[in-house]
Amino acid sequence: MNDPYSVLGVSPGATEEEIKKAYRELVRKYHPDNYHNNPLADLAQEKMKEINEAYDQVTKSRSGGGQSGSYNAGGGYAGPTGATGGSAEFTQVRAAINSGNLALAEQLLNASQSRNAEWHFLMGSLCYRKGWLDDARRYFQTAADMEPGNQEYLQALSFISRGGQPYNPYGYNYNAGTGGCSACDVCTAMLCVDACCQC
Amino acid sequence: MFGYVRPLKDELKVREYDQFKACYCALCHTLKSRYGAFSRNILNFDFTFLTMLLWDGTDRPAYQCARCVASPLRKKTYCAPSPALDLCAGYSVILAWWKLRDSVKDETFFVSLGDRLLSLLLRRAYKKASRAYPAFDETVRSNLEALGRLESAGDASLDACADKFAAITEALAAPPGGEAGSADKARPLRQLLYHTGRYIYITDACDDLEDDLKKRRFNPVANRFGLTSGVVPEEDRTVLRTTLMHSCALIGAAYELLPKNYWAPVLSNIIYLGMPETCFRVLDGTWRKGKGAANKGMDRTI
């Protein structure tokens, strides 16, 4: 394993406060929320694991084997294309999108007879994975219009209407013209605080 | 290419700005020494970004000093030759050539006279670059051709068009000769460059909107929102801004998974500040006219 201090980006002489700060910044950077339904989510997860292990190792060695306070990444995270909900007709499509087999998902969706809300939602998910963000938004919009009560569709639409979950080392809302701190920003901030909170 | 991918100078340290300029100058020197003096004209910020992105290692590069055409009196500092510089010089020649051929094909004989002349002057450079990087050459050719077909059919979505251009920039991630790089590095790099291409294509379409409508040329943004004048309604502008910022967010997420190299501070400035800034300024119309330049950088809050 790599030197835990270099993983955290601090020197071995760093104070506990400095280490904690560096760790929190890294958690903010590689948080699963930033890689929501992202094809690179697995790499971010690995990175998170490496950081947690390094932090545990450092805190343990300093406190002489005491408790560690790393963030637990395995909190049952699932993208909007998770296996929950959805009809049997599209189980295979959902599995294909989740496993990254986009060609198969596209083929199945094109071959399908129905053009219901779920079909539009899954087309949106497929587009999102391909990086076709504007098309994804339009499909999610149609799905939400066809079935207004569906939480899964609403969540996807709200996620894409915010422009993803931007992490910015220069702080939120840097660019003039983004408007003020919206309810979503507050939410995101709370999520991050929650993730870093050690209780 | 287009010059949309650049740092927000106000937020760079003076040292970082000097380093960025040294890389820009180095790319220019590489173009001249490898592809002849004329090829210097295709120098741009986008390929400077690519050079820094593909740079290997965290060590300080060797810097050199020389006079040049653009600065005949004062010597300028530039980075010593490196593999990333060679690669990016070659790639930029190939892309510039095919962009020229593309506009020659689209326009009438007299309108395209200028581009015909330019492509004639770039021909030798292109021949050399395409011999060195045949795979990239073929990717550019086939994708621009497919893009041309989509654009003349006129019914493809904004993303379907952007995808063809993004496929070209994505191909920049592949090491020449096809040797397999480390998969962990290749995937984030591909995603980063895919969304950079998408960002460039859509930003360029927004920037060209008025011109294209005036000259009755196809414009994917006008097509997407059914626009007939250069003024984009606020509602549509929000959609464009959100989708472009989403690409920026995905570029950032991919960038954080790459090993940091010497240029990390400049790259991070470009990705998190420069690209969003360009997007905002193109959409509010201050990019071209330089309107609002007086206030530029004066009202930032961090």
mmCIF file of all heavy atoms in Angstrom, chain B residues 80-120:
data_model
loop_
_atom_site.group_PDB
_atom_site.id
_atom_site.type_symbol
_atom_site.label_atom_id
_atom_site.label_comp_id
_atom_site.label_asym_id
_atom_site.label_seq_id
_atom_site.Cartn_x
_atom_site.Cartn_y
_atom_site.Cartn_z
ATOM 1 N N ALA B 80 11.239 23.297 -22.841
ATOM 2 C CA ALA B 80 12.045 22.493 -23.757
ATOM 3 C C ALA B 80 11.179 21.396 -24.380
ATOM 4 O O ALA B 80 10.134 21.047 -23.832
ATOM 5 C CB ALA B 80 13.203 21.875 -22.989
ATOM 6 N N PRO B 81 11.610 20.866 -25.556
ATOM 7 C CA PRO B 81 10.811 19.846 -26.237
ATOM 8 C C PRO B 81 10.425 18.689 -25.325
ATOM 9 O O PRO B 81 11.194 18.302 -24.457
ATOM 10 C CB PRO B 81 11.748 19.356 -27.346
ATOM 11 C CG PRO B 81 12.671 20.490 -27.595
ATOM 12 C CD PRO B 81 12.829 21.207 -26.294
ATOM 13 N N SER B 82 9.203 18.185 -25.531
ATOM 14 C CA SER B 82 8.752 17.020 -24.765
ATOM 15 C C SER B 82 7.793 16.217 -25.634
ATOM 16 O O SER B 82 7.269 16.743 -26.610
ATOM 17 C CB SER B 82 8.053 17.476 -23.494
ATOM 18 O OG SER B 82 6.689 17.705 -23.765
ATOM 19 N N PRO B 83 7.570 14.939 -25.265
ATOM 20 C CA PRO B 83 6.667 14.113 -26.083
ATOM 21 C C PRO B 83 5.263 14.700 -26.187
ATOM 22 O O PRO B 83 4.648 14.647 -27.261
ATOM 23 C CB PRO B 83 6.625 12.774 -25.337
ATOM 24 C CG PRO B 83 7.828 12.763 -24.457
ATOM 25 C CD PRO B 83 8.175 14.184 -24.169
ATOM 26 N N ALA B 84 4.750 15.280 -25.101
ATOM 27 C CA ALA B 84 3.384 15.832 -25.139
ATOM 28 C C ALA B 84 3.302 16.970 -26.160
ATOM 29 O O ALA B 84 2.302 17.097 -26.875
ATOM 30 C CB ALA B 84 2.974 16.329 -23.762
ATOM 31 N N LEU B 85 4.345 17.777 -26.239
ATOM 32 C CA LEU B 85 4.354 18.891 -27.197
ATOM 33 C C LEU B 85 4.332 18.379 -28.630
ATOM 34 O O LEU B 85 3.572 18.859 -29.469
ATOM 35 C CB LEU B 85 5.590 19.765 -26.979
ATOM 36 C CG LEU B 85 5.532 20.729 -25.785
ATOM 37 C CD1 LEU B 85 6.920 21.244 -25.441
ATOM 38 C CD2 LEU B 85 4.592 21.892 -26.080
ATOM 39 N N ASP B 86 5.165 17.369 -28.902
ATOM 40 C CA ASP B 86 5.207 16.789 -30.253
ATOM 41 C C ASP B 86 3.846 16.257 -30.659
ATOM 42 O O ASP B 86 3.349 16.515 -31.762
ATOM 43 C CB ASP B 86 6.208 15.621 -30.299
ATOM 44 C CG ASP B 86 7.638 16.133 -30.269
ATOM 45 O OD1 ASP B 86 7.827 17.336 -30.513
ATOM 46 O OD2 ASP B 86 8.545 15.332 -29.994
ATOM 47 N N LEU B 87 3.255 15.512 -29.729
ATOM 48 C CA LEU B 87 1.968 14.880 -29.987
ATOM 49 C C LEU B 87 0.901 15.932 -30.287
ATOM 50 O O LEU B 87 0.176 15.840 -31.285
ATOM 51 C CB LEU B 87 1.590 14.085 -28.727
ATOM 52 C CG LEU B 87 0.513 13.043 -28.837
ATOM 53 C CD1 LEU B 87 0.955 11.973 -29.816
ATOM 54 C CD2 LEU B 87 0.261 12.415 -27.465
ATOM 55 N N CYS B 88 0.828 16.936 -29.437
ATOM 56 C CA CYS B 88 -0.233 17.938 -29.582
ATOM 57 C C CYS B 88 -0.030 18.800 -30.820
ATOM 58 O O CYS B 88 -1.000 19.216 -31.451
ATOM 59 C CB CYS B 88 -0.324 18.794 -28.331
ATOM 60 S SG CYS B 88 -0.886 17.822 -26.939
ATOM 61 N N ALA B 89 1.228 19.068 -31.174
ATOM 62 C CA ALA B 89 1.476 19.818 -32.404
ATOM 63 C C ALA B 89 0.935 19.029 -33.596
ATOM 64 O O ALA B 89 0.234 19.576 -34.455
ATOM 65 C CB ALA B 89 2.972 20.079 -32.559
ATOM 66 N N GLY B 90 1.234 17.738 -33.643
ATOM 67 C CA GLY B 90 0.768 16.893 -34.742
ATOM 68 C C GLY B 90 -0.748 16.830 -34.797
ATOM 69 O O GLY B 90 -1.363 17.006 -35.858
ATOM 70 N N TYR B 91 -1.366 16.597 -33.630
ATOM 71 C CA TYR B 91 -2.822 16.510 -33.570
ATOM 72 C C TYR B 91 -3.474 17.813 -34.026
ATOM 73 O O TYR B 91 -4.478 17.802 -34.727
ATOM 74 C CB TYR B 91 -3.273 16.205 -32.133
ATOM 75 C CG TYR B 91 -3.073 14.775 -31.680
ATOM 76 C CD1 TYR B 91 -3.182 14.434 -30.328
ATOM 77 C CD2 TYR B 91 -2.798 13.763 -32.589
ATOM 78 C CE1 TYR B 91 -3.012 13.134 -29.903
ATOM 79 C CE2 TYR B 91 -2.617 12.457 -32.158
ATOM 80 C CZ TYR B 91 -2.727 12.142 -30.813
ATOM 81 O OH TYR B 91 -2.563 10.861 -30.385
ATOM 82 N N SER B 92 -2.871 18.940 -33.622
ATOM 83 C CA SER B 92 -3.535 20.209 -33.954
ATOM 84 C C SER B 92 -3.441 20.484 -35.456
ATOM 85 O O SER B 92 -4.369 21.036 -36.045
ATOM 86 C CB SER B 92 -2.969 21.369 -33.125
ATOM 87 O OG SER B 92 -1.657 21.666 -33.519
ATOM 88 N N VAL B 93 -2.342 20.059 -36.096
ATOM 89 C CA VAL B 93 -2.226 20.226 -37.550
ATOM 90 C C VAL B 93 -3.311 19.405 -38.255
ATOM 91 O O VAL B 93 -4.004 19.892 -39.156
ATOM 92 C CB VAL B 93 -0.825 19.810 -38.049
ATOM 93 C CG1 VAL B 93 -0.806 19.681 -39.567
ATOM 94 C CG2 VAL B 93 0.222 20.819 -37.593
ATOM 95 N N ILE B 94 -3.481 18.159 -37.812
ATOM 96 C CA ILE B 94 -4.472 17.282 -38.451
ATOM 97 C C ILE B 94 -5.881 17.857 -38.312
ATOM 98 O O ILE B 94 -6.646 17.944 -39.278
ATOM 99 C CB ILE B 94 -4.406 15.866 -37.838
ATOM 100 C CG1 ILE B 94 -3.090 15.195 -38.228
ATOM 101 C CG2 ILE B 94 -5.591 15.024 -38.282
ATOM 102 C CD1 ILE B 94 -2.813 13.890 -37.528
ATOM 103 N N LEU B 95 -6.216 18.295 -37.097
ATOM 104 C CA LEU B 95 -7.559 18.815 -36.880
ATOM 105 C C LEU B 95 -7.793 20.107 -37.676
ATOM 106 O O LEU B 95 -8.842 20.285 -38.292
ATOM 107 C CB LEU B 95 -7.799 19.056 -35.381
ATOM 108 C CG LEU B 95 -9.248 19.266 -34.994
ATOM 109 C CD1 LEU B 95 -10.115 18.099 -35.452
ATOM 110 C CD2 LEU B 95 -9.384 19.444 -33.492
ATOM 111 N N ALA B 96 -6.775 20.987 -37.683
ATOM 112 C CA ALA B 96 -6.924 22.248 -38.415
ATOM 113 C C ALA B 96 -7.133 21.981 -39.908
ATOM 114 O O ALA B 96 -7.973 22.599 -40.555
ATOM 115 C CB ALA B 96 -5.691 23.118 -38.211
ATOM 116 N N TRP B 97 -6.374 21.019 -40.439
ATOM 117 C CA TRP B 97 -6.494 20.676 -41.858
ATOM 118 C C TRP B 97 -7.908 20.225 -42.201
ATOM 119 O O TRP B 97 -8.527 20.721 -43.145
ATOM 120 C CB TRP B 97 -5.477 19.584 -42.202
ATOM 121 C CG TRP B 97 -5.759 18.871 -43.478
ATOM 122 C CD1 TRP B 97 -6.424 17.697 -43.638
ATOM 123 C CD2 TRP B 97 -5.394 19.289 -44.803
ATOM 124 N NE1 TRP B 97 -6.498 17.345 -44.953
ATOM 125 C CE2 TRP B 97 -5.872 18.302 -45.695
ATOM 126 C CE3 TRP B 97 -4.702 20.382 -45.306
ATOM 127 C CZ2 TRP B 97 -5.684 18.389 -47.071
ATOM 128 C CZ3 TRP B 97 -4.519 20.466 -46.682
ATOM 129 C CH2 TRP B 97 -5.005 19.485 -47.549
ATOM 130 N N TRP B 98 -8.429 19.288 -41.404
ATOM 131 C CA TRP B 98 -9.751 18.758 -41.736
ATOM 132 C C TRP B 98 -10.854 19.792 -41.531
ATOM 133 O O TRP B 98 -11.862 19.786 -42.229
ATOM 134 C CB TRP B 98 -10.048 17.472 -40.944
ATOM 135 C CG TRP B 98 -9.320 16.305 -41.515
ATOM 136 C CD1 TRP B 98 -8.303 15.607 -40.942
ATOM 137 C CD2 TRP B 98 -9.526 15.706 -42.810
ATOM 138 N NE1 TRP B 98 -7.858 14.615 -41.776
ATOM 139 C CE2 TRP B 98 -8.594 14.650 -42.931
ATOM 140 C CE3 TRP B 98 -10.397 15.960 -43.868
ATOM 141 C CZ2 TRP B 98 -8.515 13.855 -44.074
ATOM 142 C CZ3 TRP B 98 -10.327 15.161 -45.006
ATOM 143 C CH2 TRP B 98 -9.387 14.128 -45.091
ATOM 144 N N LYS B 99 -10.679 20.693 -40.546
ATOM 145 C CA LYS B 99 -11.648 21.780 -40.367
ATOM 146 C C LYS B 99 -11.662 22.676 -41.613
ATOM 147 O O LYS B 99 -12.725 23.072 -42.089
ATOM 148 C CB LYS B 99 -11.298 22.639 -39.148
ATOM 149 C CG LYS B 99 -11.474 21.962 -37.811
ATOM 150 C CD LYS B 99 -12.913 21.743 -37.428
ATOM 151 C CE LYS B 99 -13.626 23.035 -37.064
ATOM 152 N NZ LYS B 99 -15.061 22.752 -36.768
ATOM 153 N N LEU B 100 -10.460 22.946 -42.157
ATOM 154 C CA LEU B 100 -10.378 23.762 -43.373
ATOM 155 C C LEU B 100 -11.038 23.050 -44.551
ATOM 156 O O LEU B 100 -11.819 23.643 -45.294
ATOM 157 C CB LEU B 100 -8.919 24.067 -43.713
ATOM 158 C CG LEU B 100 -8.243 25.190 -42.917
ATOM 159 C CD1 LEU B 100 -6.761 25.234 -43.247
ATOM 160 C CD2 LEU B 100 -8.898 26.534 -43.245
ATOM 161 N N ARG B 101 -10.715 21.774 -44.720
ATOM 162 C CA ARG B 101 -11.306 21.009 -45.836
ATOM 163 C C ARG B 101 -12.824 21.006 -45.725
ATOM 164 O O ARG B 101 -13.536 21.094 -46.713
ATOM 165 C CB ARG B 101 -10.810 19.552 -45.844
ATOM 166 C CG ARG B 101 -9.337 19.347 -46.098
ATOM 167 C CD ARG B 101 -8.810 20.134 -47.259
ATOM 168 N NE ARG B 101 -9.435 19.805 -48.548
ATOM 169 C CZ ARG B 101 -9.272 20.517 -49.655
ATOM 170 N NH1 ARG B 101 -8.517 21.594 -49.629
ATOM 171 N NH2 ARG B 101 -9.856 20.154 -50.766
ATOM 172 N N ASP B 102 -13.286 20.894 -44.489
ATOM 173 C CA ASP B 102 -14.710 20.842 -44.225
ATOM 174 C C ASP B 102 -15.389 22.137 -44.674
ATOM 175 O O ASP B 102 -16.440 22.097 -45.323
ATOM 176 C CB ASP B 102 -14.919 20.655 -42.710
ATOM 177 C CG ASP B 102 -16.186 19.892 -42.425
ATOM 178 O OD1 ASP B 102 -16.497 18.981 -43.220
ATOM 179 O OD2 ASP B 102 -16.851 20.197 -41.418
ATOM 180 N N SER B 103 -14.776 23.279 -44.346
ATOM 181 C CA SER B 103 -15.443 24.527 -44.732
ATOM 182 C C SER B 103 -15.284 24.790 -46.233
ATOM 183 O O SER B 103 -16.154 25.405 -46.844
ATOM 184 C CB SER B 103 -14.939 25.717 -43.893
ATOM 185 O OG SER B 103 -13.553 25.748 -43.887
ATOM 186 N N VAL B 104 -14.193 24.292 -46.836
ATOM 187 C CA VAL B 104 -14.050 24.408 -48.289
ATOM 188 C C VAL B 104 -15.183 23.652 -48.981
ATOM 189 O O VAL B 104 -15.801 24.132 -49.933
ATOM 190 C CB VAL B 104 -12.680 23.863 -48.755
ATOM 191 C CG1 VAL B 104 -12.664 23.647 -50.258
ATOM 192 C CG2 VAL B 104 -11.568 24.806 -48.332
ATOM 193 N N LYS B 105 -15.498 22.479 -48.443
ATOM 194 C CA LYS B 105 -16.519 21.635 -49.034
ATOM 195 C C LYS B 105 -17.905 22.272 -48.924
ATOM 196 O O LYS B 105 -18.738 22.140 -49.814
ATOM 197 C CB LYS B 105 -16.510 20.281 -48.312
ATOM 198 C CG LYS B 105 -16.988 19.124 -49.146
ATOM 199 C CD LYS B 105 -16.708 17.811 -48.433
ATOM 200 C CE LYS B 105 -17.351 17.800 -47.066
ATOM 201 N NZ LYS B 105 -17.059 16.614 -46.283
ATOM 202 N N ASP B 106 -18.148 22.946 -47.773
ATOM 203 C CA ASP B 106 -19.477 23.482 -47.499
ATOM 204 C C ASP B 106 -19.792 24.772 -48.242
ATOM 205 O O ASP B 106 -20.958 25.080 -48.483
ATOM 206 C CB ASP B 106 -19.653 23.744 -45.993
ATOM 207 C CG ASP B 106 -19.720 22.443 -45.222
ATOM 208 O OD1 ASP B 106 -19.848 21.391 -45.886
ATOM 209 O OD2 ASP B 106 -19.646 22.467 -43.981
ATOM 210 N N GLU B 107 -18.765 25.537 -48.582
ATOM 211 C CA GLU B 107 -19.029 26.865 -49.137
ATOM 212 C C GLU B 107 -18.917 26.849 -50.664
ATOM 213 O O GLU B 107 -18.361 25.932 -51.251
ATOM 214 C CB GLU B 107 -18.008 27.872 -48.581
ATOM 215 C CG GLU B 107 -18.030 28.008 -47.079
ATOM 216 C CD GLU B 107 -19.213 28.834 -46.572
ATOM 217 O OE1 GLU B 107 -20.016 29.311 -47.410
ATOM 218 O OE2 GLU B 107 -19.333 28.992 -45.348
ATOM 219 N N THR B 108 -19.404 27.936 -51.290
ATOM 220 C CA THR B 108 -19.249 28.064 -52.729
ATOM 221 C C THR B 108 -17.788 28.396 -53.041
ATOM 222 O O THR B 108 -17.033 28.793 -52.158
ATOM 223 C CB THR B 108 -20.124 29.210 -53.273
ATOM 224 O OG1 THR B 108 -19.745 30.397 -52.577
ATOM 225 C CG2 THR B 108 -21.587 28.939 -53.052
ATOM 226 N N PHE B 109 -17.416 28.261 -54.307
ATOM 227 C CA PHE B 109 -16.010 28.394 -54.690
ATOM 228 C C PHE B 109 -15.385 29.708 -54.231
ATOM 229 O O PHE B 109 -14.328 29.734 -53.623
ATOM 230 C CB PHE B 109 -15.874 28.249 -56.209
ATOM 231 C CG PHE B 109 -14.454 28.380 -56.667
ATOM 232 C CD1 PHE B 109 -13.562 27.312 -56.510
ATOM 233 C CD2 PHE B 109 -13.990 29.562 -57.212
ATOM 234 C CE1 PHE B 109 -12.247 27.435 -56.902
ATOM 235 C CE2 PHE B 109 -12.668 29.688 -57.608
ATOM 236 C CZ PHE B 109 -11.799 28.620 -57.460
ATOM 237 N N PHE B 110 -16.101 30.827 -54.470
ATOM 238 C CA PHE B 110 -15.485 32.128 -54.176
ATOM 239 C C PHE B 110 -15.405 32.402 -52.689
ATOM 240 O O PHE B 110 -14.414 32.940 -52.203
ATOM 241 C CB PHE B 110 -16.228 33.248 -54.920
ATOM 242 C CG PHE B 110 -15.936 33.230 -56.386
ATOM 243 C CD1 PHE B 110 -16.867 32.757 -57.297
ATOM 244 C CD2 PHE B 110 -14.680 33.638 -56.846
ATOM 245 C CE1 PHE B 110 -16.571 32.706 -58.653
ATOM 246 C CE2 PHE B 110 -14.393 33.591 -58.206
ATOM 247 C CZ PHE B 110 -15.336 33.112 -59.109
ATOM 248 N N VAL B 111 -16.473 32.007 -51.965
ATOM 249 C CA VAL B 111 -16.474 32.228 -50.512
ATOM 250 C C VAL B 111 -15.329 31.437 -49.868
ATOM 251 O O VAL B 111 -14.696 31.883 -48.921
ATOM 252 C CB VAL B 111 -17.828 31.809 -49.904
ATOM 253 C CG1 VAL B 111 -17.807 31.955 -48.395
ATOM 254 C CG2 VAL B 111 -18.953 32.649 -50.500
ATOM 255 N N SER B 112 -15.046 30.268 -50.437
ATOM 256 C CA SER B 112 -14.071 29.396 -49.799
ATOM 257 C C SER B 112 -12.647 29.634 -50.291
ATOM 258 O O SER B 112 -11.742 28.889 -49.931
ATOM 259 C CB SER B 112 -14.455 27.933 -50.038
ATOM 260 O OG SER B 112 -14.297 27.624 -51.402
ATOM 261 N N LEU B 113 -12.466 30.674 -51.120
ATOM 262 C CA LEU B 113 -11.120 30.912 -51.662
ATOM 263 C C LEU B 113 -10.060 31.033 -50.574
ATOM 264 O O LEU B 113 -8.975 30.448 -50.657
ATOM 265 C CB LEU B 113 -11.121 32.196 -52.501
ATOM 266 C CG LEU B 113 -11.318 31.987 -54.001
ATOM 267 C CD1 LEU B 113 -11.237 33.316 -54.734
ATOM 268 C CD2 LEU B 113 -10.267 31.017 -54.553
ATOM 269 N N GLY B 114 -10.395 31.782 -49.508
ATOM 270 C CA GLY B 114 -9.455 31.989 -48.413
ATOM 271 C C GLY B 114 -9.051 30.674 -47.774
ATOM 272 O O GLY B 114 -7.862 30.389 -47.589
ATOM 273 N N ASP B 115 -10.062 29.853 -47.455
ATOM 274 C CA ASP B 115 -9.789 28.566 -46.823
ATOM 275 C C ASP B 115 -9.010 27.628 -47.755
ATOM 276 O O ASP B 115 -8.184 26.843 -47.315
ATOM 277 C CB ASP B 115 -11.098 27.898 -46.390
ATOM 278 C CG ASP B 115 -11.683 28.598 -45.163
ATOM 279 O OD1 ASP B 115 -10.933 29.331 -44.500
ATOM 280 O OD2 ASP B 115 -12.882 28.415 -44.897
ATOM 281 N N ARG B 116 -9.312 27.738 -49.080
ATOM 282 C CA ARG B 116 -8.573 26.922 -50.044
ATOM 283 C C ARG B 116 -7.090 27.259 -50.004
ATOM 284 O O ARG B 116 -6.228 26.364 -49.987
ATOM 285 C CB ARG B 116 -9.082 27.191 -51.464
ATOM 286 C CG ARG B 116 -10.258 26.349 -51.839
ATOM 287 C CD ARG B 116 -10.859 26.813 -53.155
ATOM 288 N NE ARG B 116 -12.228 26.373 -53.230
ATOM 289 C CZ ARG B 116 -12.589 25.165 -53.655
ATOM 290 N NH1 ARG B 116 -11.689 24.302 -54.058
ATOM 291 N NH2 ARG B 116 -13.852 24.804 -53.659
ATOM 292 N N LEU B 117 -6.822 28.553 -49.949
ATOM 293 C CA LEU B 117 -5.438 29.009 -49.908
ATOM 294 C C LEU B 117 -4.761 28.507 -48.630
ATOM 295 O O LEU B 117 -3.650 27.965 -48.670
ATOM 296 C CB LEU B 117 -5.402 30.541 -49.969
ATOM 297 C CG LEU B 117 -4.002 31.143 -50.004
ATOM 298 C CD1 LEU B 117 -3.316 30.802 -51.316
ATOM 299 C CD2 LEU B 117 -4.060 32.660 -49.840
ATOM 300 N N LEU B 118 -5.465 28.669 -47.497
ATOM 301 C CA LEU B 118 -4.899 28.246 -46.221
ATOM 302 C C LEU B 118 -4.596 26.748 -46.222
ATOM 303 O O LEU B 118 -3.541 26.308 -45.767
ATOM 304 C CB LEU B 118 -5.860 28.564 -45.069
ATOM 305 C CG LEU B 118 -6.044 30.035 -44.724
ATOM 306 C CD1 LEU B 118 -7.058 30.197 -43.599
ATOM 307 C CD2 LEU B 118 -4.713 30.642 -44.288
ATOM 308 N N SER B 119 -5.533 25.966 -46.757
ATOM 309 C CA SER B 119 -5.311 24.525 -46.721
ATOM 310 C C SER B 119 -4.171 24.124 -47.661
ATOM 311 O O SER B 119 -3.455 23.165 -47.406
ATOM 312 C CB SER B 119 -6.597 23.743 -47.020
ATOM 313 O OG SER B 119 -7.038 23.997 -48.318
ATOM 314 N N LEU B 120 -4.012 24.928 -48.726
ATOM 315 C CA LEU B 120 -2.879 24.673 -49.612
ATOM 316 C C LEU B 120 -1.556 24.892 -48.874
ATOM 317 O O LEU B 120 -0.611 24.113 -48.978
ATOM 318 C CB LEU B 120 -2.967 25.646 -50.799
ATOM 319 C CG LEU B 120 -2.379 25.147 -52.121
ATOM 320 C CD1 LEU B 120 -3.152 23.940 -52.613
ATOM 321 C CD2 LEU B 120 -2.421 26.268 -53.161
#
